[in-house]
Amino acid sequence: MIKVNSKFVVITLLLLFALTLSACGGTSTDNAGANTSETTTEAQTETTDSAEAAGPELSGKLKVQLIGDFSLEDKTDALTGQTSKGVKVLKDEFERLYPNTEVEFVLMGWDNYNEKTQTMLQSGAADVYQLPGIATFAEQGLLEPLQPYIERDSFDLDIYLNGQVDGWRAMGPNDQEPEIYSLPFIGDARLIVYDKQLFDDWGVEYLSEEPTIEEIIEKASKMTGTNPKTGEKNYGLTFNGNDAADSIMNINESKGGQWGTGFLWKDMKLEFDSPTMIEAAELLKEATQYAPEGVLVNQGAENFLQDNNNVAINLRVAPGFVNSLETFGTQDRYQAALLFKHPEKGMGGMFAGSPFAIGANSQNKDLAWEWLKFSGSEFFQEYMWNEQRSHSMPVIKAAAEWESVKEVPQMDIILKQMSQLWAPRYPYRAGQPRYILSENVERILLGELSAADAMKKAQEEATKWLEGQQ
Amino acid sequence: MSQIRTKLFGKWRVASRRESHAIWYVFLLPTLLGILLFTVYPLIESLRLSFTRGANERFVGTQNYADVLASETFWYAVYNTVYITVFQLLIAIPIGFLIACLINSLRRSSNLFKVLFYIPNATSMVAAATVFLAILHPDGPLNYVAQLLGFEKVVWLSQPTSAKWGAIILSVWHWLGFVIIINLANLQAIPIEYYEASAIDGATPFQQWWRITVPNMVGSLTILFVLGWIGGLQRFTDAYMLGGLQGSPARSLHTVVGFIFERGFGGNEYGIASAAAYILFVFILIFTYINTKLLRMKI
């Protein structure tokens, strides 16, 4: 056995602890600093080199964070068997346009994406971020305001579908009004989709392009029961039980109501117990009698979009349904209709999708801005549409003219819907008011509370929570 | 000899085994570091966060604790958690014990049954819950069997009470294998001489089971009760998979950990979530203490 001086061991252990802990604590900063300076030096060198060859162009490394089902290389979809090109296509094109640059993607999944993004923004791990939860980060001053860049380059925001830029407005720590901190690159929406064959079976006229909730309830009531042609049990409608509160909010908008006012928690005023909200809740409750028994937990409409479907109308379908239709070969059987909209404001429905933003501590903001502009280009958007269609819809007006878009019968409605979503998006959904409203809507649909009582309760609880955020 | 060794190892002196302890701490260092960084530090950080609020981590004292304890949603989550756990334990432990006794009495095929019953416990809860979403479907196999037996169709996950029972059925199915294995281990440790002696004295098989088996099983039943209770209070995955983030319908599957998850990751309220986590810790501590005292368990 080796005998070791205990003092020596203790000192060694303490030193090792200190070394390890300091290494852990300091790694990110030190390395970030080192990397940053390295990148800057590299960028400067490259700028100098390229300046001689190609003038004062942008250069350096650009780190772009992407969330979701992206991959750098090509991949094959297990369901459809189709191969889609990886985001390397975007990297190659950007590097071709800006020869002295290098794009590096940071790809991550949707799990805990807000927490991961927060860490990345604070440590400067990327320059450009995909930020569906932008409001939280803008509020902390972690994002670069884009208005100066837009003005400097006279960048035309009119290329985007109506409302797509406004939908992502957010407020920084010193802003008085919602400002532009990001530009959209992934479009999303919810639509009403219906099965034309069931309408034919029941001899009911198809939904109009902009149906009212009353029209839907009336037609759904006619198609609930035993199908006169197939003899199968049919349901008039279904909706997403988890998002029933959003459906009620959308009906509320069609009655002239709105979610409330304000943007930051401290300024927010909710209108959950308004007469139009109560009426909307009663209407959805009425509609529920024509839905499958398990609608609250999204059961009973699993075959919607397929050949053996037995539900006539779905009040809330994500635009990715066009892929399902293609997979099932039922493109001609289903059609889409627009969500309800506010009679005066001309918009309605939950705004969704993903924008790109620039981190406030990015070391290459000008190049990052070029990436944001690139993401609104037809090249970028067409790539997203052709290769990443399962989780992305185009956000630019030019998409309506693409042949591949025209080939999809439901796309004109989808693009229209994306142009009239409620903007800026519902800020109350970023915190407890969303869950409070949702819980009370479920109690209405379960028959535990009347619409008036539940909405009053939701308003009181949510207002109390807001007061706690002051 | 000592001089020779001293010569061999230079300044290191060779000592007897009894004299050398410190060197082993070097070997413990990686583990200690891991515990410090990934357990102790998060615990302290979480405690700090529990006294703050908002993105700027504004100090609010014990306000988060007060808010959690005053929240109806939190207490409903506690009720749901306790409800599901109590029925899970009341059903799984006795049934598991009985099945273990039956398997133990088999002369052949006992290993086959051990494996069969243990498979659910080795299955990921996410996968199991996904299957149960189909089993608990209004037109699923459970309703098919229920209707064959003359019962009415139940829309399991659409009503608060039946949704909780759906979670109980899932948790019992998943945990039963573990209960059986623990009980079997204890059953096989009971000396055979007890049974031989009682047989000579004329005891019936039921008397043997009641007078010998059951009293000797108290230890394993107690540990199952305590472990089940701790695991039950930490329930999340099964309820989350069946009821989503909010524990739908109407929060009937919202558990305490679900409350922590929703407030933390659903709304970025890390202060509230941390405070709720510490309150849950205290709950588990109290319940475990009471359990060990009531069951006279030696730990």
Side-chain angles (χ1 to χ4, degrees):
Chain A
M1 261 307 170
I2 299 170
K3 184 181 179 184
V4 184
N5 185 313
S6 61
K7 280 183 184 173
F8 171 77
V9 172
V10 169
I11 290 167
T12 309
L13 284 172
L14 285 173
L15 282 173
L16 273 169
F17 267 120
L19 182 68
T20 315
L21 288 174
S22 63
C24 289
T27 300
S28 60
T29 317
D30 295 347
N31 284 356
N35 287 341
T36 304
S37 56
E38 191 179 295
T39 309
T40 313
T41 313
E42 191 179 84
Q44 284 166 348
T45 311
E46 285 179 1
T47 307
T48 313
D49 292 344
S50 63
E52 290 173 4
E57 293 178 348
L58 293 164
S59 61
K61 182 185 272 190
L62 184 73
K63 285 191 174 180
V64 180
Q65 174 244 43
L66 284 171
I67 314 169
D69 197 23
F70 292 101
S71 71
L72 189 64
E73 303 297 336
D74 299 356
K75 65 175 182 181
T76 303
D77 185 279
L79 189 64
T80 62
Q82 289 179 340
T83 299
S84 58
K85 290 177 182 165
V87 289
K88 191 172 181 299
V89 172
L90 300 175
K91 170 184 163 70
D92 292 344
E93 176 65 8
F94 190 79
E95 289 173 357
R96 186 187 69 77
L97 292 171
Y98 302 91
N100 297 318
T101 64
E102 182 190 347
V103 175
E104 183 186 321
F105 288 108
V106 181
L107 306 176
M108 61 189 220
W110 283 107
D111 51 308
N112 299 336
Y113 68 92
N114 266 333
E115 293 69 45
K116 291 175 187 170
T117 306
Q118 175 88 35
T119 310
M120 289 180 73
L121 275 164
Q122 285 177 329
S123 61
D127 301 292
V128 176
Y129 297 84
Q130 179 182 341
L131 284 183
I134 187 167
T136 310
F137 308 113
E139 190 184 347
Q140 298 173 58
L142 293 169
L143 304 179
E144 183 74 2
L146 298 186
Q147 196 59 42
Y149 294 89
I150 293 167
E151 287 170 7
R152 186 192 72 189
D153 290 2
S154 302
F155 183 61
D156 183 13
L157 296 178
D158 206 37
I159 62 167
Y160 294 101
L161 294 170
N162 292 340
Q164 283 293 319
V165 174
D166 288 338
W168 292 115
R169 280 179 186 266
M171 286 181 74
N174 303 317
D175 293 334
Q176 301 302 313
E177 293 290 329
E179 300 289 348
I180 300 174
Y181 282 89
S182 64
L183 292 179
F185 83 101
I186 287 180
D188 196 3
R190 295 295 179 271
L191 297 111
I192 298 164
V193 177
Y194 58 96
D195 182 343
K196 291 192 288 184
Q197 187 173 304
L198 291 188
F199 276 71
D200 291 340
D201 289 349
W202 286 90
V204 175
E205 193 181 342
Y206 295 155
L207 289 182
S208 54
E209 188 175 296
E210 296 183 37
T212 61
I213 183 68
E214 287 82 4
E215 177 189 340
I216 286 174
I217 291 175
E218 185 209 338
K219 289 179 176 172
S221 70
K222 290 177 182 168
M223 292 182 285
T224 302
T226 306
N227 186 304
K229 283 196 176 172
T230 64
E232 288 179 348
K233 167 81 176 166
N234 281 178
Y235 296 95
L237 56 81
T238 190
F239 51 88
N240 187 326
N242 297 335
D243 295 339
D246 293 326
S247 291
I248 287 182
M249 187 59 72
N250 185 219
I251 299 169
N252 168 49
E253 287 159 353
S254 73
K255 301 293 174 189
Q258 59 180 16
W259 66 266
T261 54
F263 195 86
L264 299 178
W265 296 127
K266 63 185 174 69
D267 309 320
M268 201 175 286
K269 298 275 183 280
L270 299 166
E271 297 175 18
F272 289 168
D273 59 348
S274 67
T276 50
M277 241 344 234
I278 293 167
E279 185 189 354
E282 283 167 347
L283 282 165
L284 192 68
K285 169 84 170 139
E286 184 188 345
T288 305
Q289 63 184 304
Y290 308 118
E293 299 96 321
V295 65
L296 255 186
V297 283
N298 297 332
Q299 288 182 328
E302 288 83 359
N303 296 328
F304 195 76
L305 303 178
Q306 298 184 38
D307 259 337
N308 53 348
N309 168 50
N310 64 340
V311 181
I313 305 164
N314 192 329
L315 292 180
R316 200 171 174 78
V317 183
F321 79 93
V322 294
N323 303 310
S324 304
L325 294 183
E326 192 180 343
T327 304
F328 300 132
T330 51
Q331 294 100 324
D332 297 333
R333 180 167 166 173
Y334 293 87
Q335 183 51 282
L338 296 167
L339 289 180
F340 316 117
K341 65 179 179 187
H342 193 283
E344 290 157 20
K345 295 179 188 286
M347 56 185 183
M350 184 192 75
F351 189 91
S354 278
F356 273 135
I358 302 171
N361 55 7
S362 164
Q363 297 299 311
N364 214 344
K365 288 174 185 165
D366 283 338
L367 192 58
W369 166 243
E370 294 303 317
W371 177 270
L372 262 62
K373 288 195 290 183
F374 175 59
S375 70
S377 67
E378 284 202 54
F379 178 88
F380 192 111
Q381 287 293 308
E382 211 160 359
Y383 162 80
M384 293 295 288
W385 165 246
N386 289 326
E387 311 295 341
Q388 308 288 345
R389 196 178 299 180
S390 61
H391 54 118
S392 175
M393 287 288 135
V395 292
I396 56 173
K397 288 174 182 166
E401 302 305 319
W402 300 341
E403 284 306 314
S404 55
V405 165
K406 287 179 182 172
E407 284 169 8
V408 181
Q410 299 82 7
M411 271 308 287
D412 62 329
I413 296 289
I414 292 174
L415 293 176
K416 272 186 198 171
Q417 182 59 69
M418 284 171 48
S419 305
Q420 60 178 50
L421 295 169
W422 196 275
R425 64 193 198 139
Y426 310 143
Y428 74 88
R429 289 184 101 262
Q432 269 300 295
R434 168 191 181 175
Y435 303 111
I436 291 169
L437 178 64
S438 191
E439 176 190 343
N440 285 289
V441 162
E442 286 185 3
R443 293 194 188 285
I444 296 169
L445 299 180
L446 283 168
E448 289 184 2
L449 289 174
S450 71
D453 289 346
M455 288 306 174
K456 184 169 177 272
K457 188 165 174 275
Q459 177 72 16
E460 286 171 357
E461 286 178 13
T463 304
K464 189 179 170 194
W465 183 86
L466 285 175
E467 285 165 2
Q469 308 306 306
Q470 305 296 322
Chain B
M1 186 66 183
S2 176
Q3 285 174 339
I4 296 167
R5 283 187 179 171
T6 305
K7 195 176 178 182
L8 279 173
F9 292 98
K11 67 177 180 179
W12 296 97
R13 279 197 305 120
V14 177
S16 69
R17 186 185 299 268
R18 190 165 51 84
E19 291 170 334
S20 171
H21 299 294
I23 190 70
W24 301 112
Y25 286 102
V26 175
F27 295 106
L28 285 174
L29 199 59
T31 307
L32 285 173
L33 270 178
I35 292 170
L36 270 178
L37 290 174
F38 300 114
T39 305
V40 177
Y41 169 69
L43 280 173
I44 295 168
E45 178 65 7
S46 180
L47 184 65
R48 185 188 69 79
L49 278 174
S50 73
F51 298 110
T52 68
R53 188 171 286 185
N56 55 358
E57 296 181 3
R58 177 168 47 93
F59 181 76
V60 292
T62 55
Q63 190 59 45
N64 287 333
Y65 288 90
D67 284 357
V68 170
L69 292 171
S71 163
E72 277 182 36
T73 308
F74 176 76
W75 287 110
Y76 190 50
V78 171
Y79 167 76
N80 292 334
T81 310
V82 171
Y83 184 99
I84 297 170
T85 303
V86 164
F87 282 104
Q88 176 196 348
L89 298 183
L90 287 179
I91 295 169
I93 293 178
I95 291 180
F97 174 50
L98 288 174
I99 294 174
C101 290
L102 290 173
I103 292 174
N104 195 46
S105 66
L106 288 174
R107 289 179 184 275
R108 290 190 300 180
S109 309
S110 65
N111 283 338
L112 172 70
F113 283 106
K114 282 181 204 169
V115 171
L116 283 180
F117 278 104
Y118 195 70
I119 283 174
N121 195 245
T123 310
S124 146
M125 181 53 96
V126 174
T130 307
V131 173
F132 262 72
L133 283 172
I135 291 172
L136 298 171
H137 191 277
D139 299 320
L142 193 59
N143 266 347
Y144 178 75
V145 174
Q147 284 173 308
L148 278 183
L149 296 172
F151 294 103
E152 281 194 15
K153 181 177 170 180
V154 181
V155 188
W156 287 96
L157 298 176
S158 285
Q159 294 295 325
T161 305
S162 57
K164 276 200 248 301
W165 276 96
I168 291 166
I169 293 169
L170 168 60
S171 60
V172 167
W173 175 82
H174 194 259
W175 198 51
L176 195 63
F178 180 73
V179 176
I180 291 169
I181 291 294
I182 296 292
N183 278 318
L184 269 172
N186 197 347
L187 283 169
Q188 287 164 4
I190 299 172
I192 192 75
E193 289 81 7
Y194 292 2
Y195 295 98
E196 289 171 352
S198 65
I200 293 167
D201 290 342
T204 64
F206 178 75
Q207 284 174 321
Q208 285 180 329
W209 181 77
W210 184 247
R211 301 279 182 184
I212 298 171
T213 307
V214 173
N216 277 289
M217 292 299 291
V218 170
S220 63
L221 294 175
T222 304
I223 193 73
L224 281 169
F225 189 78
V226 172
L227 289 178
W229 194 248
I230 293 172
L233 288 177
Q234 294 174 333
R235 158 165 285 106
F236 174 66
T237 315
D238 47 359
Y240 179 80
M241 286 299 295
L242 296 182
L245 180 63
Q246 285 186 258
S248 296
R251 297 228 183 252
S252 57
L253 292 176
H254 199 47
T255 61
V256 179
V257 178
F259 178 90
I260 295 167
F261 189 85
E262 182 192 292
R263 300 302 286 261
F265 300 122
N268 296 323
E269 293 180 84
Y270 300 113
I272 290 277
S274 299
Y278 268 93
I279 290 170
L280 174 63
F281 168 71
V282 172
F283 279 2
I284 291 175
L285 204 65
I286 293 169
F287 275 107
T288 307
Y289 179 77
I290 293 170
N291 283 336
T292 51
K293 287 295 170 192
L294 281 179
L295 300 169
R296 293 173 189 170
M297 188 184 177
K298 291 172 187 172
I299 294 179

